[in-house]
Amino acid sequence: MSVELGMPALPAPVLSERRKTRQLMVGNVGVGSEHPISVQSMTTTLTADVNATLQQIAQLTAAGCDIVRVACPSADDAEALPAIAKKSQIPVIADIHFQPKYVFAAIEAGCAAVRVNPGNIKKFDDKVAEIAQAAKDHGTPIRIGVNAGSLDPRLLKKYGKATPEALAESALWEASLFAEHDFHDIKISVKHNDPVIMIRAYEILAEQCDYPLHLGVTEAGPAFQGTIKSAVAFGALLRQGIGDTIRVSLSAPPVEEVKVGIQILQSLNLRPRKLEIVSCPSCGRAQVDVYKLADEVTAGLEGMEVPLRVAVMGCVVNGPGEAREADLGVASGNGKGQIFVKGEVIKTVPEHQIVETLIEEAMRIAEEAGDAEGSGSPVVTVS
Ligand code: SF4
């Protein structure tokens, strides 16, 4: 039974229909237009260190990551793949550069998919028949992952640099080689650090093939810049229905990538929303420290699993209106906070009790939702 909490009823409105694609399975995660858009990240541990890698994968899983990629630059890493693939709770993709032999090792290891970079795998085109056969035998999908920094030299020569056309042509050329061997379990990425080039490259791909597409702005930078670049680029493509899996690349812990990826999808109603804080930016009319209040409420509600929109507003101009529209809200002023639940003022509390009151009410709503869904206890953590 679904619980009405004032959030948009599901299915929530989306900006575009998904572009129709072929479907494939990465482990137990479906990828393609018939499946939800999945969020990926990549471990930063030495893959050969099985325990550290599995620990990081567990953190990513807890953060909501759907599929994880691990690098495989050495024989030690390749040897670790069977244990990692077996013990990971989410599908593991092996990321292979330079050495074709590791493609086979990853397939044999039971990885859920293998990412190959045709631009830097030795004599890749000559190996396609063998790779396609091995992948087919094991039911392993292949991601053709073209990257601006390691574009096939032939295309670099033809186009002079990593243009959108060069990126798309490289990927489509490799896909055509696999198709010649009747292998179609392919998804494609064409990453560039410039969102404008990246967007155009994916648009070309979307026009010219029906393979699922994995979106990424590569080397997007530190968290602030990378988040913005990825959100803008993914937004422009998702607006056109383009994109079946995403990875936000940040120079930051991979759990942050997952949080940003999920938030991007939630913002566009491409994934059900959970906790959403509607807080005002504050201004000269604010009669309370809105930043502090919003931070404290956000921290107090971290881990909330039910969809809940909480409005934290600084004064009576927009406060009552926004607070009324949310599941739960506060409009502050004169050292007090008017607490709204589902559009009704339920009480007015002194300013120092606003945070605890909101958290209490949120827990009560979560409990009701939990009861309604038969899941028992509330899932709010108070820190
Ligand atoms: S709600 Fe009030 S304090 Fe917040 S931005 Fe609007 S006018 Fe300013």
Side-chain angles (χ1 to χ4, degrees):
M1 175 178 157
S2 68
V3 182
E4 284 291 332
L5 286 174
M7 300 295 284
L10 291 176
V14 292
L15 292 169
S16 312
E17 288 293 308
R18 299 268 299 280
R19 156 186 166 266
K20 294 277 173 252
T21 70
R22 291 169 173 273
Q23 314 301 315
L24 54 85
M25 294 300 293
V26 176
N28 60 2
V29 176
V31 172
S33 51
E34 303 302 316
H35 301 281
I37 299 170
S38 46
V39 173
Q40 302 195 19
S41 185
M42 190 164 177
T43 52
T44 55
T45 52
L46 272 181
T47 303
D49 186 342
V50 175
N51 286 341
T53 303
L54 284 171
Q55 199 175 351
Q56 196 171 57
I57 291 176
Q59 290 165 356
L60 290 167
T61 307
C65 186
D66 298 306
I67 297 170
V68 66
R69 191 151 46 104
V70 300
C72 185
S74 75
D76 287 347
D77 299 313
E79 273 172 33
L81 290 177
I84 293 170
K86 187 161 176 238
K87 292 187 183 154
S88 170
Q89 289 173 284
I90 54 176
V92 174
I93 301 180
D95 190 75
I96 313 291
H97 296 257
F98 304 116
Q99 292 283 0
K101 65 184 178 191
Y102 296 146
V103 176
F104 300 105
I107 292 172
E108 298 280 333
C111 289
V114 178
R115 180 270 171 117
V116 295
N117 181 344
N120 66 16
I121 292 188
K122 288 176 203 158
K123 297 197 173 142
F124 185 80
D125 291 2
D126 300 343
K127 302 277 180 193
V128 166
E130 235 180 307
I131 293 173
Q133 190 58 52
K136 217 185 278 183
D137 290 346
H138 289 78
T140 313
I142 300 283
R143 165 149 75 92
I144 297 173
V146 173
N147 197 301
S150 49
L151 185 63
D152 186 332
R154 188 174 58 84
L155 290 156
L156 205 49
K157 195 165 168 216
K158 176 174 172 186
Y159 287 94
K161 59 182 179 177
T163 62
E165 293 74 15
L167 293 167
E169 186 175 326
S170 175
L172 291 170
W173 164 254
E174 299 303 337
S176 74
L177 296 184
F178 277 99
E180 272 176 25
H181 296 283
D182 197 26
F183 186 83
H184 307 280
D185 265 3
I186 293 170
K187 61 189 165 86
I188 295 180
S189 63
V190 279
K191 298 190 182 181
H192 197 288
N193 63 33
D194 181 335
V196 174
I197 296 174
M198 174 270 193
I199 290 166
R200 189 62 202 126
Y202 278 97
E203 287 173 342
I204 295 170
L205 278 183
E207 285 159 12
Q208 298 190 13
C209 75
D210 63 356
Y211 292 116
L213 300 180
H214 168 70
L215 305 186
V217 178
T218 192
E219 293 110 29
F224 177 72
Q225 178 186 292
T227 297
I228 291 173
K229 274 189 172 186
S230 300
V232 168
F234 295 1
L237 290 164
L238 294 168
R239 172 69 181 97
Q240 304 174 64
I242 299 171
D244 303 289
T245 80
I246 62 170
R247 188 228 172 157
V248 175
S249 298
L250 300 178
S251 304
V255 162
E256 298 305 312
E257 300 185 344
V258 173
K259 287 187 195 167
V260 174
I262 290 173
Q263 189 65 52
I264 290 171
L265 296 180
Q266 288 186 359
S267 301
L268 293 172
N269 287 340
L270 293 168
R271 181 171 281 228
R273 296 183 188 188
K274 291 190 175 168
L275 176 65
E276 185 181 4
I277 304 287
V278 179
S279 58
C280 83
S282 187
C283 73
R285 292 185 202 92
Q287 295 173 352
V288 69
D289 184 343
V290 178
Y291 304 164
K292 184 162 168 273
L293 200 56
D295 279 350
E296 287 176 357
V297 172
T298 305
L301 297 180
E302 198 185 343
M304 170 73 79
E305 286 293 327
V306 296
L308 193 70
R309 181 179 286 150
V310 182
V312 179
M313 306 297 289
C315 79
V316 292
V317 172
N318 291 323
E322 287 287 0
R324 217 171 262 130
E325 289 298 308
D327 300 304
L328 176 63
V330 62
S332 313
N334 291 331
K336 292 183 224 148
Q338 259 188 332
I339 307 292
F340 290 75
V341 173
K342 294 175 190 162
E344 303 293 331
V345 178
I346 58 154
K347 61 175 101 165
T348 300
V349 297
E351 193 175 310
H352 69 273
Q353 286 178 10
I354 291 175
V355 174
E356 64 179 80
T357 308
L358 286 176
I359 292 170
E360 265 169 34
E361 289 301 322
M363 290 183 77
R364 198 179 51 69
I365 294 172
E367 193 161 7
E368 282 173 14
D371 286 348
E373 292 198 327
S375 64
S377 55
V379 279
V380 179
T381 56
V382 180
S383 56

